[in-house]
Amino acid sequence: MLLNLLCVGLGGFVGAILRALTGIFVSKIVLLSAFPYATLIVNVLGSFLIGMLLTSSYVLSNPNLKSFLTAGLLGGLTTFSTFSFDTLSLIEHRFFTAALLNVALNVGLALIACFLGSELVKHMKKKKKSSLKKES
């Protein structure tokens, strides 16, 4: 159990650094500064990756790797609290359309990305099984 918790902590450390770097990079792009794109990017990317990871039998069969990647890395990378605050801030500044767009994009794109990540791994599994059958 201690090893599993260390895996979560190490993954969270890496994920949080990646999230901070994403924010720094996105803030350098002047056109992207008026909308919380960094939060959107990490949430959609994290959703795509969790769709892939939790469909992978390799990840699912290794509890420490699963904890490192999902609860740790993706937990540190993605952020629901920042998404909530960004949306509230848009509402408080009376940017209602941007707030609605922020909710729709974060939820909609994250769901689509999760689905695509999951489907990608399923497709790769089928392709691998097909090639193994051809070899035998």
Side-chain angles (χ1 to χ4, degrees):
M1 181 171 143
L2 181 58
L3 178 58
N4 191 269
L5 292 175
L6 290 172
C7 290
V8 171
L10 182 59
F13 174 76
V14 173
I17 289 172
L18 291 173
R19 181 168 172 263
L21 290 173
T22 302
I24 291 167
F25 175 75
V26 170
S27 71
K28 302 279 185 204
I29 302 171
V30 177
L31 296 173
L32 302 181
S33 62
F35 187 82
Y37 285 104
T39 303
L40 177 64
I41 290 166
V42 296
N43 285 342
V44 172
L45 176 62
S47 295
F48 177 77
L49 292 173
I50 203 162
M52 288 182 66
L53 295 171
L54 293 182
T55 307
S56 165
S57 55
Y58 178 76
V59 172
L60 293 175
S61 67
N62 186 330
N64 291 331
L65 179 62
K66 179 183 173 191
S67 294
F68 172 83
L69 293 171
T70 58
L73 188 129
L74 294 180
L77 176 68
T78 62
T79 174
F80 192 78
S81 57
T82 302
F83 157 68
S84 300
F85 182 80
D86 288 342
T87 304
L88 179 62
S89 180
L90 290 168
I91 291 168
E92 288 175 343
H93 288 92
R94 306 189 67 77
F95 297 128
F96 300 115
T97 303
L100 185 61
L101 182 64
N102 191 40
V103 171
L105 287 174
N106 269 280
V107 174
L109 292 177
L111 285 171
I112 291 168
C114 187
F115 171 77
L116 291 174
S118 177
E119 290 300 308
L120 176 64
V121 170
K122 290 175 186 175
H123 175 74
M124 291 168 38
K125 284 180 184 178
K126 285 180 186 175
K127 194 171 184 175
K128 185 175 179 181
K129 285 181 183 178
S130 174
S131 68
L132 289 175
K133 286 181 182 178
K134 288 179 183 177
E135 290 177 6
S136 40

